[in-house]
C-alpha cells in the first residue's frame, strides 16, 4: 500500500499484544517529555446552530504557557460518558487541555427531537466545538487536535481533509467508507433497518415523531450494528463507564440507515496535511481493516497502528492501555508540550 508520495510499504513490528504498522518509517523512539500533574474539570456549554452542546473541559494545573487542546466526541449514536472520560483523563494527566462534547440531540446536549443523527449537523457541531476550544483561556489556538472514534473518526478525517486547521488528527477504528460499511453489515441486516429508515424519513417530511431503531443489537435483530461483538461490546462500554444500561438511550432515528452508504470520509483523506494517527483493529466487523489501511495510505503524514481485536476492544482493557499509550506517544511526537508550555517549579 502506497500513497501519492510513494512512501515505503508497511512495516511489521511484532509485539506481545499488538502488531504495529506504519505508513512512514518509524523514527527511533526517543523519551518524550511527560507531565504527571493534576488537572481540573468543569462542565460547560457551547452553541451550535442555536442549540447548546455540553462540553466537559479538562485543564492541567501548574502551567504558565498556553496548552495544546484535544477535542473529542464519540461514535455512532454514542455519548461522551461511554469511556471517553477515561481517555480525556489520560490526556489531561499528560499535560493536554481537553474538550469532550456531546452532539446535539444526544447525551447532555440539548436539541429536539432526541437521538436524531444527522451527518451534516454533526460536522457543524465539530466545527463549533473546535471554535470553542480555540477560544478557551490558556489554550494555544494554533495547536488543536481532533480526536474521533468509529463514526466520529470519519468526521475528523472529513474535517481535516476539507481544510479545518488542525495540529493533528487521531482517528480510532474510523468509519471511512459507506459502501464498505454496508457490505460488512450484510444485505439482510441492511434491509431490516432500511424499512424503518424509509418510515422515519417519511415521518420527518410530515413533521411527525421519529421512528427509532436500536443502534446496537444482537445478530438477526433490527439494529444499526448487529455483528456478533456489537451488543457485548456496547454492554462493556456501559459497565466499564460505571453506568446502568438504561442511563442513556441506545436508539437512533432510523433515517440515518438511508445515508450511511453514501458517507465515505476516505474521499478526503488525500487532502490531509497534518500528522494523523489511524488506529485499526484486525478483526473489525464494522470498519474493515483493509479499507481503513487504504484510506490511511492516502494521507501525507499518517501513522498506522494495527491491533488484534474487534471494533469495541480499544475502549476497554486489556487493549485500552496500549491504544492510549500509542495516542500519547503520537501527541508527544507531533504536538509537543515542551514548545507549548513550561511546568512551574
Amino acid at each position: 500500500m502506497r500513497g501519492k508520495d510513494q512512501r515505503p510499504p508497511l512495516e511489521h513490528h511484532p509485539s506481545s499484544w499488538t502488531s504495529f504498522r506504519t505508513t512512514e518509517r518509524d523514527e527511533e523512539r526517543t523519551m518524550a517529555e511527560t507531565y504527571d500533574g493534576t488537572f481540573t474539570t468543569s462542565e460547560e456549554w457551547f452553541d451550535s446552530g442555536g442549540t447548546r452542546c455540553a462540553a466537559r473541559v479538562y485543564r492541567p494545573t501548574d502551567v504558565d504557557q498556553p496548552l495544546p487542546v484535544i477535542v473529542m466526541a464519540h461514535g455512532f449514536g454514542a455519548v461522551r460518558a461511554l469511556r471517553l472520560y477515561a481517555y480525556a483523563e489520560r490526556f489531561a494527566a499528560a499535560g493536554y487541555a481537553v474538550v469532550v462534547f456531546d452532539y446535539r440531540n444526544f447525551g447532555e446536549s440539548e436539541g429536539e427531537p432526541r437521538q436524531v443523527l444527522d451527518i451534516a449537523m454533526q460536522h457543524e457541531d465539530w466545527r463549533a466545538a473546535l471554535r470553542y476550544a480555540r477560544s478557551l483561556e490558556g489554550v494555544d489556538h494554533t495547536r488543536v487536535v481532533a480526536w474521533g472514534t468509529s463514526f466520529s473518526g470519519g468526521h475528523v478525517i472529513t474535517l481535516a481533509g476539507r481544510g479545518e486547521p488542525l495540529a493533528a488528527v487521531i482517528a480510532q477504528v474510523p468509519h471511512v467508507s459507506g459502501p464498505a460499511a454496508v457490505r460488512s453489515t450484510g444485505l439482510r441486516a441492511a434491509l431490516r433497518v432500511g424499512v424503518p429508515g424509509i418510515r422515519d424519513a417519511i415521518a420527518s417530511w410530515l413533521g411527525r415523531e421519529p421512528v427509532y431503531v436500536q443502534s446496537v443489537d444482537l445478530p438477526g435483530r433490527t439494529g444499526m450494528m448487529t455483528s456478533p461483538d456489537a451488543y457485548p461490546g456496547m454492554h462493556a462500554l456501559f459497565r466499564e463507564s460505571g453506568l446502568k444500561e438504561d442511563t442513556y438511550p441506545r436508539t437512533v432515528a432510523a433515517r440515518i440507515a438511508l445515508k450511511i452508504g453514501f458517507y465515505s470520509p476516505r474521499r478526503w483523506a488525500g487532502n490531509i496535511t497534518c500528522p494523523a494517527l489511524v488506529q485499526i483493529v484486525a478483526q473489525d466487523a464494522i470498519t474493515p481493516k483493509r479499507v481503513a489501511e487504504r484510506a490511511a495510505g492516502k494521507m501525507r503524514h499518517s501513522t498506522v497502528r494495527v491491533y488484534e481485536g474487534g471494533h469495541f476492544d480499544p475502549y476497554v482493557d486489556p487493549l485500552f492501555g496500549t491504544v492510549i499509550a500509542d495516542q500519547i506517544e503520537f501527541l508527544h511526537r507531533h504536538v509537543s508540550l515542551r514548545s507549548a508550555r513550561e511546568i512551574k517549579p
Side-chain angles (χ1 to χ4, degrees):
M1 178 180 69
R2 292 174 182 249
K4 293 180 181 178
D5 56 352
Q6 298 297 301
R7 290 183 293 271
L10 298 176
E11 299 177 353
H12 180 71
H13 305 275
S15 167
S16 60
W17 173 246
T18 65
S19 63
F20 299 91
R21 298 181 176 92
T22 177
T23 55
E24 299 176 324
R25 289 195 184 276
D26 277 330
E27 304 171 4
E28 181 179 353
R29 297 193 180 190
T30 58
M31 183 65 69
E33 71 278 20
T34 60
Y35 172 73
D36 295 322
T38 59
F39 56 87
T40 63
T41 64
S42 59
E43 297 295 338
E44 303 182 19
W45 302 87
F46 63 87
D47 179 87
S48 180
T51 299
R52 296 204 310 170
C53 288
R56 178 175 290 186
V57 179
Y58 294 72
R59 295 179 174 88
T61 57
D62 296 325
V63 294
D64 60 4
Q65 292 191 25
L67 296 170
V69 61
I70 303 167
V71 182
M72 307 176 63
H74 221 311
F76 189 92
V79 297
R80 58 190 180 144
L82 293 176
R83 287 293 290 170
L84 291 201
Y85 297 151
Y87 292 84
E89 288 167 3
R90 296 289 190 93
F91 293 145
Y96 295 86
V98 188
V99 174
V100 191
F101 74 95
D102 278 332
Y103 299 109
R104 281 176 284 179
N105 309 328
F106 287 91
E108 271 70 54
S109 289
E110 298 176 353
E112 296 287 345
R114 304 300 292 172
Q115 306 301 114
V116 172
L117 197 168
D118 182 277
I119 294 169
M121 282 180 58
Q122 292 198 344
H123 287 174
E124 292 172 2
D125 294 346
W126 261 104
R127 293 188 183 96
L130 292 167
R131 287 194 301 271
Y132 170 73
R134 292 186 180 102
S135 74
L136 291 173
E137 183 179 356
V139 160
D140 183 345
H141 69 275
T142 68
R143 299 167 67 76
V144 180
V145 178
W147 185 103
T149 184
S150 193
F151 210 56
S152 68
H155 291 344
V156 299
I157 290 171
T158 300
L159 291 169
R162 296 182 70 176
E164 184 71 32
L166 296 168
V169 165
I170 296 176
Q172 177 181 280
V173 292
H175 168 89
V176 295
S177 168
V182 172
R183 286 194 299 270
S184 66
T185 298
L187 179 60
R188 290 185 180 180
L191 290 174
R192 279 195 294 268
V193 295
V195 173
I198 294 171
R199 290 174 50 216
D200 185 43
I202 294 172
S204 175
W205 296 333
L206 297 176
R208 296 176 181 172
E209 290 296 308
V211 176
Y212 293 106
V213 294
Q214 295 294 316
S215 58
V216 171
D217 213 328
L218 296 169
R221 295 186 178 179
T222 301
M224 295 302 302
M225 293 178 280
T226 56
S227 60
D229 65 336
Y231 190 88
M234 183 60 73
H235 177 78
L237 289 187
F238 274 85
R239 182 186 67 246
E240 296 302 315
S241 301
L243 299 172
K244 296 180 179 179
E245 293 205 26
D246 60 355
T247 305
Y248 295 98
R250 291 191 291 179
T251 56
V252 291
R255 68 196 73 169
I256 187 61
L258 307 180
K259 298 181 179 180
I260 286 180
F262 300 99
Y263 181 46
S264 294
R266 68 178 176 182
R267 64 181 292 204
W268 302 105
N271 295 342
I272 297 176
T273 58
C274 67
L277 172 63
V278 183
Q279 293 175 297
I280 302 166
V281 286
Q283 291 77 40
D284 199 325
I286 296 170
T287 303
K289 167 180 171 287
R290 66 187 185 281
V291 180
E293 285 182 324
R294 286 200 293 267
K298 296 179 179 180
M299 302 174 191
R300 301 181 194 181
H301 305 289
S302 62
T303 300
V304 176
R305 295 288 182 258
V306 181
Y307 311 88
E308 294 298 314
H311 188 77
F312 291 86
D313 289 335
Y315 303 100
V316 297
D317 287 328
L319 188 52
F320 170 74
T322 302
V323 166
I324 190 67
D326 285 346
Q327 292 177 9
I328 292 173
E329 181 195 36
F330 170 83
L331 290 167
H332 281 163
R333 180 177 297 181
H334 294 288
V335 193
S336 172
L337 295 172
R338 187 174 293 130
S339 62
R341 59 101 177 103
E342 295 177 356
I343 303 173
K344 292 179 181 179

